[in-house]
Amino acid sequence: MKKIMYPLTIGLMSMVLAACGAQDQAKKEEPKKTEEQAKADQPSQKEQQKQMEEMQKKMEAQKVDEKKTVATVNGKAITGSDYNSVLSSTQMQMQQMGQDPTSKEAEKQVKDQTVNTLVGQNILMQEADKKGYKASADEVKKQIDEIKKQYNNDDKKFQEALKMQGMDEKQLNEQVAQSIKMNQYVSKEIPAPKVTDKEIEEYYNQFAQQGGQGGQKPPKLEEVKPQIQQQLTQQKQNEALGKKVEELKKTAKVEIKI
């Protein structure tokens, strides 16, 4: 499932190169030199590939043995396989935010975030199981089919995407089943607080002002109101989930082993 987010923030042009010359010939040559210089400054495709491979090796090095118990929640073990799967997602999220997940500064943050995510998921899943929520085989298959559609039902691309996430189809099926149970539990037990029109307007004004500083006109509130409402609802839902996890942690027995 993809979360819809409308890009309210407006990108700015990073740099403009201008040449000043007394002679017309110099003015003609300068842009050419600038283009050549820009090309020279850009890493070649081979260098980019090498950088990507090095980054991948560093990210792989953060993984743990798949059979290792990284934590226990109420006596239930969380394995290295589970850890590595969530780790890949954590690393990708950091990269999308422009951060290097393999840096020394980020290493502890990546591990802590991954462990906290796993512990929170397990606490909530155990609670969902207690309440009797279940995912049927048909529901799981429907979700998997929707995911495959994102890759035009191309099995090779689908398998490559799974590999990048450090998963196989069995793990995906398990995660989808857990996701369905979790959604059932959350919608019934932890409904999202209502988002008010005032909150939507405040959110819009904040980002419209930031966008206006770039000299570009932001979209009208009416055009983006549904997306803003969805994003604020998701934020409130996450806050409610976080509070529920902290509440359940008080009576849960959690042991971190890495």
Side-chain angles (χ1 to χ4, degrees):
M1 295 178 67
K2 291 186 176 181
K3 185 169 65 177
I4 300 171
M5 296 179 65
Y6 193 94
L8 286 177
T9 53
I10 299 173
L12 305 176
M13 296 295 292
S14 60
M15 188 180 295
V16 177
L17 295 176
C20 296
Q23 301 178 0
D24 290 340
Q25 184 63 29
K27 289 181 180 179
K28 291 179 182 178
E29 292 177 355
E30 189 61 29
K32 183 179 179 181
K33 291 179 181 178
T34 300
E35 290 174 9
E36 291 174 353
Q37 183 64 46
K39 288 180 181 179
D41 291 341
Q42 291 177 354
S44 66
Q45 186 174 355
K46 188 175 181 180
E47 289 172 335
Q48 289 179 338
Q49 182 66 28
K50 185 178 179 181
Q51 289 172 1
M52 288 175 63
E53 289 174 354
E54 289 175 352
M55 174 65 74
Q56 190 61 39
K57 286 180 181 178
K58 289 179 181 179
M59 290 195 296
E60 286 289 326
Q62 290 184 336
K63 291 184 177 182
V64 300
D65 187 294
E66 291 192 352
K67 295 181 181 180
K68 179 181 176 67
T69 297
V70 299
T72 60
V73 178
N74 296 322
K76 182 179 179 181
I78 299 175
T79 66
S81 177
D82 298 324
Y83 178 88
N84 292 339
S85 179
V86 175
L87 173 69
S88 296
S89 297
T90 304
Q91 291 168 334
M92 288 180 69
Q93 288 172 5
M94 291 192 71
Q95 285 181 307
Q96 289 169 359
M97 294 171 65
Q99 299 176 5
D100 180 2
T102 65
S103 67
K104 289 183 179 179
E105 296 80 8
E107 189 173 358
K108 186 177 186 301
Q109 180 186 345
V110 170
K111 185 179 80 171
D112 290 346
Q113 185 174 328
T114 301
V115 170
N116 287 335
T117 298
L118 282 164
V119 169
Q121 286 178 350
N122 274 263
I123 285 176
L124 290 173
M125 283 305 305
Q126 288 181 22
E127 190 68 11
D129 287 336
K130 285 180 185 178
K131 300 280 186 178
Y133 292 99
K134 295 181 180 180
S136 69
D138 287 342
E139 287 175 317
V140 173
K141 183 180 183 302
K142 185 177 179 180
Q143 289 279 358
I144 296 294
D145 288 343
E146 288 298 317
I147 294 172
K148 288 182 177 180
K149 282 182 183 179
Q150 296 177 20
Y151 302 94
N152 298 319
N153 292 317
D154 186 323
D155 190 61
K156 184 178 180 181
K157 290 181 180 179
F158 175 64
Q159 294 298 333
E160 287 175 354
L162 283 176
K163 188 176 180 181
M164 286 182 66
Q165 290 282 343
M167 299 171 61
D168 55 30
E169 286 198 57
K170 182 181 178 181
Q171 290 172 311
L172 178 63
N173 275 269
E174 290 172 352
Q175 287 199 9
V176 167
Q178 288 182 342
S179 176
I180 292 170
K181 282 198 295 182
M182 183 68 73
N183 287 336
Q184 292 173 350
Y185 168 73
V186 169
S187 63
K188 294 287 185 180
E189 309 290 338
I190 320 173
K194 185 179 179 181
V195 175
T196 66
D197 288 339
K198 183 180 178 181
E199 289 172 323
I200 293 174
E201 189 173 342
E202 288 175 350
Y203 182 96
Y204 172 80
N205 289 337
Q206 179 184 354
F207 284 93
Q209 184 178 11
Q210 291 178 3
Q213 292 174 359
Q216 297 188 33
K217 188 177 180 180
K220 293 180 181 180
L221 173 58
E222 294 76 16
E223 296 174 1
V224 295
K225 186 175 180 178
Q227 288 85 355
I228 293 175
Q229 184 173 21
Q230 183 175 356
Q231 187 161 336
L232 290 177
T233 299
Q234 185 65 56
Q235 288 177 3
K236 286 193 171 189
Q237 185 75 81
N238 290 341
E239 289 171 4
L241 282 170
K243 288 179 181 178
K244 186 65 176 178
V245 169
E246 291 305 312
E247 177 189 325
L248 293 171
K249 272 184 178 180
K250 293 176 182 178
T251 55
K253 185 177 180 182
V254 178
E255 292 184 54
I256 309 301
K257 297 182 177 292
I258 61 170

